[in-house]
């Protein structure tokens, strides 16, 4: 219980720091008036000045930075993420997040699922046969895959499977029926999943190799338990322990990777939204996305921490 | 005066000595002499695509079939828009395309390029041509049931004029007070600052769209409604998911005849190659694009119908004359001479697009065949740059904050809209061509920022696409001294009082021949000023699936056949799907 | 051409030389180092090498056509502007490598110093630094890079420094834990007992020991920085002037170019891949060498 409270408190402090830093940084970018009014922010006619004053008042642009941060924080607590400065009519940021977040989330979940589904059997096959041709080939492949950056991998996969073979579409249509969208997401998800799978495989395999040498495994083996049973029931569970930690940590890297992959396959997710917002200096949008992404990252690690306790008997007891 | 002499001299030598351009060398051989016979020979006109010597080339299926109602038309637009409110957002081609489904304009261009009454019943000028009385057609209602009346027209006009962005293009034309007045229930009077005989041309596009006043009021309170437009048009708004799909359904009670399509769906597909594949694969029924590579593929296909149109915007390099070095004519001419126009045609335009020497295509009555766009001579550019630097080298370029020259080369900044791979390629091409005479810093900025920098004068030179209004009166706003200020629409900030006088004469002139002559004089002065280096006439291809019919069947209620395409915009009020 | 052959060797050799207790670093390590040296030297000397001008439209050797396939004249073909892809790839290495190098030097300098100090001083300073690392790690790295590049400009130095900032937390964490590990060892305690100054203990006793794990981290970090630059390029946020591998790949990955002329993207991809692989392999070998647990088994 104390552990949960402490971890939650830490997560909240972390979120506050991250959001305050981003808020301060985005405000250094300059006058957001230009985002709201466009070139008219330099209009010096009386009517123009009036519009500028009205906008300043409406968005409290003259208040000191800490006051504005606290106001933003207060709104955030009430579920209000502010408005998009650079879009006509200044629609709420929440609309954008609600529209884009699910696409990125689905992509990431799909990618992590694929990575796990690839990595676990791969490691289970390689670990009991240390230094066999299969194991060596696996190690070489993981090195090769990890050395191929996601954008390069994306371009290669797109060339082979979308352009040459035509098995997958090259782009994403957000309103297509569910099975089509799933089909469209496979290639980008695979782009994210392959390097992750290589990392997971290497980790799990090393871990399994050392677990298999431990005493309780030798004992189980001497009792005549089948090889598969030993692998799944006895060896895999303790190995999942480090796997889960890396899984959580990797999520952060994958979010970064998904920004790039979304760009290659033109998936209108959070990735394209934040890039556009940064270039446009639309800071309410940037803030919202950074906070959402950082929260997801922090929450995932929080959950990982909890799962950790369940899997590892030493902590549970 | 020095400018005139330099250009005249330049014209003499240009046609024979094209620097390093194998592409231009064989150009005359490919052009079709029969079509060109009527025109004086063009020294540097590139061969146009296919047989597109006419401004609009239409390869549409024969229209002798009886229209069938039903079906959904799926159209890929090149980008999504941030809003569909014609009084709040500046509508790009995709915005105009979607706007055209849901809104009607007060006037529309007929096939001869004359603005005729459309949503309005008549336009009547006063004797001094300063005020125009617009009578509306009775019995028309908006999709929400609000009647179309004088109050609605005034509400749309005032909303546009008050808008920070859209208003920029409206305010310079009208006095601050008394710009518009309601005469009676169905009559509005517009009062202009200057006499204007061609006022209806202003209300053929975004400025002519009339929106429901009830919706405008509601949208002012709830910005989300900017995405759900309410007009009088052939289609009613149905639903919209930004960056994904915008759907309109048939307006059964349209005032200008029966609408055949059940629904219209617009999909933003940013990558033109992908859009083309979708059309070939039957996933969509139409698209519009300016991508040369895609146009070649689309035109080569026998099944796909293409409407090609390059009368519209021109692409050009634009210079800011309010900041050194381009406040000096020699620097501007140096940039023009250095510009690799032949390579641009070959590598960027893929020899598909026509080279531009001015704002008008050769078929236009306003086109002046005598005008020459200088370029492709880096040696000449270097000489001019050295001459400029010897005299003005100590000046400071306010944009870069550094001296205007480094040795014999002029130091400038070049901005383009990005992130864009195509934009980067063009930048690489330009910088390589300019490098003998110029030291260039390249800056990639977001489209909005580029427009902002242009409006605020915070640039040396930019890649730009503009002009090409069907009636040149509508392009005057980009040229007049009056739109120079802290926020300029005269982007080069170049004031030429005589040019302004010619523009005012032309917009008040009735005789087409006199008018054409006046615009040719304007064009010559633009050429002398060397504020623009014209590159190409942008070509739009509106490509349609084989089943699409009668996109070019538009008529006004008075039975006049209307122009069916302009700057990538088409209308679907008469369209139907065969089979 | 020879360079490509070396790359192939790298690939096939991996399986053959799994940890061999006899040789300390293994042939693979030296092959990797050789590749890194070749690429670095080629990049450094690129302007003086007998290759085409990478920016010349049509190339120096008169290739006046765009998107021609690889040939004797243009080893990697030409791109959309008829430029020589081989020359562009070699020149692209310049910015990519400088970005990677500057980034990792900065990461080592700042992260290493902070980590060692935190591990040595402990107490409140340690807690502040650790928290700083956690905050830095809470931003997905690419998001942080996007934020910083948008705050500043997109010059070479800015991008390199940005990617260096990304390296601070990971490097710092390793340095800190290594320091803590060694600070408890006898030789450090002894130095403390005989009254050595803190500076002397850190520089003379701790740094040499912490340097080993950080050396391997430097190679891996450089690979990460080069890759991160490519990621930024794909978001349109990489250095605004000059070409990098990331920008070259982006240029070649446009659907039409990729379909008609895949070599425009594939050539820089191959270079990037082999360089990252070499850095990873070399770094991995160094790590294994310094890894106490591995050598104990």
């Amino acid at each position: 219980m104390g552990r949960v409270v402490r971890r939650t408190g830490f997560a909240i402090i972390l979120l506050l720091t991250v959001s305050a830093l981003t808020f301060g940084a985005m405000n250094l970018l300059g006058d957001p008036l230009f985002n709201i009014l466009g070139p008219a922010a330099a209009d010096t006619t009386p009517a123009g000045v009036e519009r500028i004053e009205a906008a300043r008042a409406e968005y409290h642009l003259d208040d000191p930075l800490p006051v504005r941060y606290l106001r933003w924080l207060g709104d955030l607590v009430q579920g209000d993420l502010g408005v998009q400065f650079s879009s006509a009519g200044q629609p709420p940021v929440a609309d954008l997040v609600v529209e884009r977040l699910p696409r990125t989330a689905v992509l990431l979940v799909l990618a992590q699922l694929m990575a796990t589904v690839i990595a676990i059997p791969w490691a289970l096959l390689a670990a009991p046969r240390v230094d066999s041709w299969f194991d060596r080939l696996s190690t070489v492949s993981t090195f090769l895959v990890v050395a191929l950056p996601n954008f390069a991998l994306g371009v290669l996969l797109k060339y082979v499977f979308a352009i040459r073979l035509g098995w997958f579409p090259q782009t994403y249509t957000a309103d297509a029926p569910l099975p089509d969208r799933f089909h469209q997401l496979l290639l980008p998800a695979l782009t994210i999943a392959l390097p992750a799978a290589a990392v997971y495989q290497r980790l799990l395999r090393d871990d399994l190799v050392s677990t298999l040498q431990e005493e309780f495994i030798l004992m189980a083996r001497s009792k005549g338990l089948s090889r598969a049973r030993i692998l799944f029931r006895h060896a895999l569970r303790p190995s999942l322990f480090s796997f889960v930690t890396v899984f959580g940590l990797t999520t952060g890297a994958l979010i970064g990777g998904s920004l790039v992959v979304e760009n290659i396959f033109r998936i209108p997710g959070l990735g394209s939204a934040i890039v556009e917002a940064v270039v446009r200096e639309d800071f309410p949008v940037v803030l919202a996305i950074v906070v959402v992404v950082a929260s997801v990252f922090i929450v995932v690690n929080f959950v990982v921490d909890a799962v950790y306790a369940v899997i590892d008997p030493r902590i549970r007891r | 005066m020095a400018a005139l002499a330099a250009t005249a001299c330049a014209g003499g030598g240009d046609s024979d000595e094209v620097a390093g351009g194998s592409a231009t060398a064989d150009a005359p051989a490919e052009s079709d002499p029969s079509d060109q016979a009527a025109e004086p020979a063009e020294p540097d006109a590139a061969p146009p695509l296919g047989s597109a010597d006419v401004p609009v080339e239409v390869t549409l299926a024969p229209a002798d079939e009886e229209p069938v109602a039903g079906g959904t038309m799926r159209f890929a637009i090149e980008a999504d828009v941030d809003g569909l409110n014609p009084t709040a957002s500046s509508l790009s081609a995709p915005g105009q395309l979607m706007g055209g489904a849901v809104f009607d304009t007060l006037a529309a261009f007929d096939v001869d390029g004359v603005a005729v009454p459309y949503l309005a019943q008549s336009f009547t000028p006063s004797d001094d041509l300063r005020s125009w009385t617009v009578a509306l057609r009775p019995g028309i209602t908006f999709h929400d049931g609000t009647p179309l009346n004088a109050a609605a027209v005034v509400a749309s006009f005032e909303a546009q004029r008050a808008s920070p962005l859209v208003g920029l293009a409206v305010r310079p034309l009208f006095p601050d007070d008394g710009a518009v007045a309601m005469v009676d229930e169905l009559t509005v009077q517009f009062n202009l600052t200057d006499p204007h005989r061609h006022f209806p041309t202003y209300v053929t596009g975004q400025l002519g769209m009339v929106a429901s006043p009830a919706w405008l009021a509601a949208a002012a309170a709830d910005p989300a409604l900017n995405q759900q437009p309410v007009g009088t048009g052939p289609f009613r708004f149905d639903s919209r998911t930004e960056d994904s799909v915008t759907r309109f359904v048939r307006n059964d009670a349209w005032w200008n005849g029966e609408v055949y399509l059940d629904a219209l769906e617009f999909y933003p597909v940013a990558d033109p190659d992908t859009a083309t594949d979708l059309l070939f694969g039957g996933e969509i029924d139409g698209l519009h694009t300016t991508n040369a590579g895609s146009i070649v593929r689309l035109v080569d296909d026998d099944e796909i119908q293409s409407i090609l149109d390059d009368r519209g915007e021109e692409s050009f390099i634009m210079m800011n004359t309010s900041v050194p070095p381009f406040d000096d004519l020699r620097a501007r001419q140096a940039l023009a001479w250095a510009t690799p126009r032949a390579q641009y045609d070959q590598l960027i335009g893929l020899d598909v697009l026509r080279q531009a020497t001015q704002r008008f295509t050769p078929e236009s009555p306003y086109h002046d065949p005598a005008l020459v766009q200088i370029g492709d001579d880096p040696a000449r550019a270097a000489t001019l740059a050295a001459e400029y630097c010897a005299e003005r080298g100590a000046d400071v370029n306010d944009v870069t904050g550094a001296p205007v020259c480094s040795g014999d080369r002029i130091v400038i900044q070049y901005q383009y809209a990005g992130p864009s791979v195509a934009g980067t390629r063009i930048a690489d091409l330009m910088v390589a061509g300019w490098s003998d005479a110029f030291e260039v810093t390249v800056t990639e900025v977001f489209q909005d920022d580029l427009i902002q920098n242009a409006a605020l004068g915070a640039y040396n030179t930019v890649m730009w696409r503009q002009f090409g209004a069907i009636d040149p009166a509508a392009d005057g706003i980009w040229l007049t001294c009056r739109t120079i200020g802290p926020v300029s629409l005269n982007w080069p900030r170049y004031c030429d009082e005589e040019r302004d006088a010619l523009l005012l004469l032309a917009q008040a002139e009735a005789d087409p021949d006199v008018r054409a002559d006046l615009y040719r004089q304007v064009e010559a002065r633009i050429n002398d000023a060397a504020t623009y280096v014209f590159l190409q006439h942008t070509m739009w291809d509106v490509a349609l699936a084989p089943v699409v019919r009668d996109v070019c069947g538009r008529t006004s209620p008075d039975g006049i056949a209307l122009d069916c395409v302009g700057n990538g915009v088409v209308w679907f009020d008469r369209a139907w799907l065969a089979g | 051409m020879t360079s490509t052959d070396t790359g192939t060797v790298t690939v096939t050799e991996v399986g053959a030389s799994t940890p061999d207790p006899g040789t300390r670093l293994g042939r693979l390590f030296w092959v990797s180092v050789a590749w890194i040296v070749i690429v670095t030297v080629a990049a450094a000397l690129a302007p003086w090498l007998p290759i085409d001008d990478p920016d010349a439209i049509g190339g120096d050797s008169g290739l006046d056509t765009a998107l021609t396939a690889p040939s004797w004249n243009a080893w990697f073909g030409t791109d959309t502007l008829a430029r020589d892809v081989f020359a562009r790839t070699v020149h692209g290495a310049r910015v990519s490598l400088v970005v990677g190098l500057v980034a990792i030097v900065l990461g080592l300098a700042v992260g290493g110093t902070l980590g060692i100090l935190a591990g040595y001083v402990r107490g409140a300073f340690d807690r502040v630094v650790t928290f700083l690392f956690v905050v830095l790690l809470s931003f997905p790295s690419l998001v942080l890079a996007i934020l910083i590049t948008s705050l500043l400009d997109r010059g070479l130095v800015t991008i390199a420094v940005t990617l260096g900032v990304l390296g601070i937390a990971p490097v710092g964490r390793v340095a800190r834990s290594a320091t803590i590990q060694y600070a408890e060892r006898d030789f450090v305690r002894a130095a403390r007992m005989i009254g050595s100054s803190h500076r002397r203990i850190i520089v003379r006793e701790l740094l040499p020991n912490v340097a080993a794990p950080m050396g391997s981290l430097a190679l891996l970090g450089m690979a990460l920085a080069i890759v991160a630059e490519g990621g930024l390029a794909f978001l349109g946020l990489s250095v605004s002037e000059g070409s990098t591998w990331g920008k070259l790949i982006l240029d070649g990955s446009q659907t039409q170019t990729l379909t008609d002329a895949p070599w425009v993207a594939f050539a820089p991809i191959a270079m990037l891949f082999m360089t990252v692989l070499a850095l990873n392999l070399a770094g991995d070998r160094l790590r294994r060498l310094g890894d106490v647990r591995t050598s104990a088994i």
Side-chain angles (χ1 to χ4, degrees):
Chain A
M1 197 57 211
R3 183 184 161 80
V4 172
V5 171
R6 214 171 54 238
R7 296 288 303 185
T8 313
F10 185 69
I12 289 172
I13 291 172
L14 206 54
L15 270 178
L16 285 177
T17 316
V18 166
S19 63
L21 278 178
T22 317
F23 194 90
M26 290 310 290
N27 273 284
L28 291 177
L29 284 175
D31 202 336
L33 258 189
F34 276 102
N35 300 315
I36 302 165
L37 295 176
D43 196 347
T44 47
T45 61
V49 171
E50 202 172 292
R51 264 194 299 273
I52 293 169
E53 290 309 318
R56 281 194 178 285
E58 188 180 348
Y59 299 106
H60 308 282
L61 296 179
D62 288 331
D63 291 351
L65 204 55
V67 174
R68 287 166 58 194
Y69 175 66
L70 288 177
R71 181 178 291 115
W72 175 82
L73 203 60
D75 289 346
L76 177 74
V77 172
Q78 295 162 37
D80 180 2
L81 288 169
V83 297
Q84 303 171 35
F85 278 174
S86 58
S87 294
Q90 278 90 41
V93 176
D95 289 2
L96 184 79
V97 173
V98 166
E99 181 192 296
R100 303 292 186 94
L101 182 62
R103 297 176 195 154
T104 305
V106 168
L107 179 65
L108 279 177
V109 169
L110 198 60
Q112 285 282 39
L113 267 178
M114 278 169 127
T116 313
V117 166
I118 296 170
I120 292 186
W122 192 4
L124 284 175
L125 283 174
R129 304 173 179 83
V130 179
D131 277 349
S132 66
W133 66 268
F134 181 80
D135 185 40
R136 285 185 178 201
L137 195 69
S138 299
T139 311
V140 175
S141 338
T142 57
F143 255 98
L144 297 184
V145 170
V146 168
L148 198 58
N150 52 17
F151 52 87
L153 182 61
V155 171
L156 291 180
L157 290 178
K158 179 173 158 177
Y159 179 73
V160 174
F161 293 106
I163 294 182
R164 279 284 159 263
L165 297 174
W167 290 354
F168 296 98
Q170 294 173 25
T171 49
Y172 179 82
T173 339
D175 60 286
L178 201 64
D180 287 1
R181 261 182 297 161
F182 182 75
H183 184 212
Q184 289 162 351
L185 280 178
L186 283 180
L187 212 48
L190 188 65
T191 309
I192 302 175
L194 270 184
V199 171
Y200 297 163
Q201 193 273 348
R202 224 191 282 178
L203 182 101
L204 261 180
R205 178 243 174 225
D206 288 355
D207 221 75
L208 279 172
V209 167
S210 55
T211 312
L212 285 174
Q213 286 162 359
E214 281 188 35
E215 257 174 64
F216 68 97
I217 297 285
L218 295 177
M219 214 142 80
R221 199 171 280 175
S222 66
K223 276 199 262 172
L225 292 178
S226 80
R227 196 187 164 100
R229 196 180 156 89
I230 291 171
L231 264 181
F232 279 97
R233 295 292 295 269
H234 298 277
L236 188 59
R237 204 166 82 163
S239 293
L240 282 177
F241 167 83
S242 42
F243 174 75
V244 167
T245 318
V246 173
F247 188 88
L249 287 174
T250 313
T251 304
L254 293 196
I255 292 174
S258 75
L259 303 190
V260 176
V261 173
E262 280 178 17
N263 205 305
I264 299 174
F265 293 94
R266 297 182 197 277
I267 301 166
L270 279 186
S272 52
I274 192 172
V275 172
E276 196 171 302
V278 161
V279 186
R280 284 182 163 191
E281 299 176 1
D282 190 338
F283 75 83
V285 176
V286 176
L287 256 178
I289 297 177
V290 167
V291 168
V292 166
V293 167
S295 317
V296 169
F297 185 47
I298 290 167
V299 167
V300 166
N301 282 306
F302 183 80
V303 171
V304 163
D305 216 49
V307 173
Y308 201 84
V310 175
I311 296 180
D312 188 16
R314 281 166 292 186
I315 290 186
R316 196 168 35 170
R317 276 174 204 149
Chain B
M1 285 302 107
L4 261 175
T7 323
C9 165
D14 187 50
S15 51
D16 292 323
E17 36 158 289
V18 182
S22 55
T24 16
D26 55 29
E30 282 177 33
S31 64
D32 188 348
S34 62
D35 281 31
Q36 298 263 320
E39 302 272 352
E42 277 284 307
D44 53 0
L49 181 76
S51 58
D53 286 295
V54 285
V56 181
E57 187 194 42
V58 183
T59 59
L60 292 181
D64 48 5
E65 301 152 279
E66 207 43 42
V68 185
T72 297
M73 171 92 195
R74 299 155 303 171
F75 196 93
I77 47 179
E78 59 170 6
D80 206 352
V81 295
D82 62 1
L84 286 165
N85 184 340
T87 70
S89 296
S90 194
L91 298 181
S92 52
Q96 302 251 7
L97 194 62
M98 293 195 277
V102 78
F103 297 109
D104 295 306
T105 51
L106 289 171
F109 282 112
D110 69 8
V111 286
D112 299 320
V114 178
V116 297
Y118 190 60
L119 188 58
Q121 191 157 40
S122 67
F123 290 88
T124 318
S126 65
D127 288 342
D128 66 356
L129 300 173
R130 276 178 204 274
S131 63
W132 281 78
T133 304
V134 178
L136 300 169
R137 297 179 196 275
I140 299 179
T141 56
F142 291 97
H143 303 149
D144 60 2
T146 323
L148 170 78
N149 54 24
V153 172
V154 170
S156 275
F157 174 80
E158 288 295 3
Q160 287 188 330
R161 197 159 68 126
S163 154
L165 198 60
V166 182
L168 283 176
V170 184
R171 291 190 285 270
L173 303 172
F174 296 91
D176 284 343
D177 295 308
V180 66
M182 272 186 274
V183 176
D184 61 42
E185 176 66 18
L186 289 176
T187 315
V188 186
Q189 185 180 324
F190 288 96
N191 300 305
L192 295 135
T193 313
D194 299 302
H196 203 321
R197 192 175 291 277
H198 307 276
F199 170 73
T201 62
Y202 279 126
V203 289
T204 54
Q206 178 173 358
L207 300 186
M209 291 179 180
V210 184
S212 157
W215 169 67
L216 284 180
D222 176 6
L225 290 174
N226 284 324
Q227 311 294 341
Q228 303 167 23
V230 180
T232 56
F235 295 89
R236 281 185 293 113
F237 172 81
D238 181 60
S239 63
R240 170 166 162 82
T241 314
E242 245 183 286
D243 297 313
S244 166
V245 63
T246 306
R247 185 182 155 88
F248 300 92
V249 293
R250 175 172 45 217
N251 175 9
D252 290 316
W254 194 42
W255 57 276
N256 190 25
E258 189 189 346
V259 181
Y260 301 115
L261 294 172
D262 283 343
L264 255 180
E265 290 174 355
F266 294 97
Y267 298 86
V269 182
D271 181 10
D273 299 318
T274 306
T276 307
D277 287 341
L278 291 175
L279 182 62
F280 283 142
E283 303 278 317
I284 53 171
D285 308 304
L287 63 84
H288 65 175
T289 182
T290 57
N291 180 278
S294 304
I295 295 178
V296 171
R297 288 175 64 200
L298 289 164
V299 170
D300 280 350
D301 189 277
D302 293 338
E303 302 276 298
I304 299 292
Q305 318 174 62
S306 275
I307 309 175
L308 295 170
D309 171 24
D310 74 349
R311 298 167 304 173
E313 296 173 329
E314 277 69 51
S315 54
F316 48 86
I317 300 288
M318 183 165 83
M319 289 165 260
N320 177 5
T321 67
S322 71
V323 173
F326 293 128
D327 59 339
D328 192 295
L329 179 65
R330 287 166 300 182
R332 298 199 294 271
Q333 287 174 338
L335 192 77
W337 280 118
T339 301
R341 298 179 76 227
Q343 283 182 338
Y344 186 90
D345 282 345
Q346 183 197 356
L347 298 169
I348 306 292
L350 304 180
D351 290 334
V352 165
L353 306 185
R354 292 199 285 182
Q355 213 174 44
T357 58
Q358 53 196 298
R359 294 184 293 158
F360 308 109
T361 51
E363 300 76 18
S364 160
Y366 311 106
H367 180 262
D368 182 352
L371 284 181
V372 171
Q373 173 62 60
I374 55 175
D376 285 324
D377 191 345
R380 193 160 189 163
T383 314
L384 267 174
E387 188 186 317
Y388 168 84
C389 285
E391 196 181 308
R392 304 253 332 247
D395 287 11
V396 170
N397 179 340
D398 298 323
V399 174
T400 60
V404 282
C405 289
S406 155
D408 279 347
R409 293 201 298 169
I410 303 175
V411 182
I412 54 165
Q413 186 209 45
Y414 169 77
Q415 294 184 19
Y416 67 97
S420 149
V421 171
T424 310
R425 277 181 201 153
I426 294 173
D428 287 353
L429 183 78
M430 288 300 164
V431 171
W434 293 341
S435 61
D436 285 348
F438 292 88
E439 192 177 308
V440 190
T441 318
V442 177
T443 309
E444 187 180 24
V445 292
F446 204 70
Q447 173 104 35
D448 295 4
D449 292 335
L450 188 73
I451 294 173
Q452 187 170 300
N453 290 348
L456 300 177
Y459 75 99
N460 284 149
T461 181
V462 290
M463 181 76 200
W464 210 250
R465 209 166 83 175
Q466 204 179 8
F467 297 130
I470 292 177
D471 188 306
D475 278 337
I477 195 159
W478 314 111
L479 299 169
T480 155
C481 301
R482 197 184 299 164
T483 53
I484 302 178
V487 184
S488 292
L489 289 184
N490 180 333
W491 320 107
R493 295 169 176 244
Y494 183 83
C495 178
D496 177 351
E497 304 280 358
E498 285 181 51
R499 196 169 75 184
D500 279 16
L502 289 168
L503 283 170
L504 286 181
L505 280 176
Q507 77 176 29
E509 180 57 52
D511 182 339
D513 292 335
V514 177
R515 202 162 168 244
D517 184 59
L518 287 166
Y519 278 119
R520 276 196 287 268
Q521 291 181 48
V522 169
E523 215 53 34
R525 297 194 73 85
I526 292 176
N527 189 297
D528 290 346
T531 47
Y532 311 103
V533 185
F534 286 100
L535 296 169
Q536 289 176 330
H537 296 289
T538 300
M539 180 178 284
W540 279 98
D541 184 358
V542 176
L544 302 165
V547 291
V548 181
R549 296 283 186 278
D550 284 351
V551 166
C552 277
R554 291 183 84 210
T555 53
S556 84
D558 310 310
I560 301 167
L562 298 177
D563 197 11
C564 62
V565 59
N567 271 329
V569 179
V570 283
W571 290 264
F572 298 102
D573 50 274
R574 288 286 181 270
W576 54 280
L577 301 172
Chain C
M1 282 292 109
T2 36
S3 50
T4 324
D5 295 339
T6 325
T8 327
V9 174
T10 316
V11 176
T12 46
E13 286 267 324
V14 180
S17 57
T18 9
D20 182 351
T23 54
R24 285 163 54 81
L25 286 165
R27 251 186 304 166
L28 199 51
F29 175 82
W30 295 110
V31 171
S32 302
V33 170
W35 172 255
I36 295 165
V37 169
I38 291 172
V39 171
T40 312
V41 168
L45 300 180
W48 297 280
L49 291 181
I51 52 176
D52 265 16
D53 176 350
D55 298 321
I57 313 289
D60 288 344
S61 14
L63 319 151
D64 55 353
T65 8
L67 304 180
T68 48
S71 67
W72 183 245
N73 270 338
W75 291 353
F76 293 173
T78 61
D79 71 358
T80 32
L81 290 185
R83 292 172 295 194
D84 183 57
V85 176
F86 177 75
R88 291 182 68 68
T89 309
V90 172
H91 278 262
R94 293 166 71 83
V95 179
S96 289
L97 291 181
V98 166
V99 166
L101 212 61
V102 172
I104 199 58
V105 165
L106 186 83
L108 285 178
V110 178
T113 310
L114 281 177
I116 292 175
L117 283 178
Y120 182 72
V121 178
R122 307 302 301 265
F125 180 73
D126 185 24
R127 280 199 292 278
V128 170
V129 169
T130 311
F131 184 70
L132 177 79
F133 289 165
V134 175
V135 169
L136 277 176
L137 289 172
S138 299
F139 289 94
S141 50
L142 209 57
V143 173
L144 189 62
I146 293 171
L147 260 183
I148 302 176
T149 40
S150 67
L151 272 173
L152 308 167
D153 55 73
R154 284 169 43 206
L156 179 60
V157 178
T158 316
I159 301 287
V161 167
T162 303
L163 298 178
V165 169
L166 297 185
I168 290 177
V171 172
R173 283 190 142 189
V174 170
R176 176 180 170 275
S177 60
T179 308
I180 291 175
Q181 202 184 333
Y182 284 108
E184 299 302 314
R185 296 275 181 93
D186 289 343
F187 62 93
V188 177
R189 287 188 177 182
R192 215 175 266 183
M193 228 111 79
I194 59 167
S196 299
S197 71
H198 292 312
R199 173 199 279 251
R200 193 184 159 82
I201 294 175
I202 289 175
V203 175
R204 296 291 292 273
E205 311 293 344
L206 288 175
L207 204 55
N209 287 298
V210 177
M214 283 176 50
S216 79
L217 205 61
L219 292 174
L220 299 176
M222 190 168 160
L224 280 177
I226 291 174
V227 168
E229 182 281 319
L232 279 180
F234 263 77
L235 299 176
L237 298 172
S238 179
V239 285
S240 50
E241 301 226 10
S243 48
T244 66
W245 284 338
K247 284 170 77 175
L248 293 178
I249 297 171
L250 174 67
D251 185 50
S253 71
Q254 302 305 294
T255 308
Q256 196 67 56
T257 316
L258 192 60
T259 312
D260 297 342
W263 52 85
V264 180
F266 288 4
I269 285 181
M271 290 288 255
L272 177 68
F273 169 68
M274 287 192 291
T275 308
V276 170
L277 184 66
L279 286 166
N280 282 352
L281 283 172
D284 187 65
R285 279 300 131 103
L286 275 185
R287 184 179 60 78
R288 278 167 194 250
L289 193 71
D291 200 330
V292 193
R293 276 181 304 152
T294 323
S295 52
I297 293 168

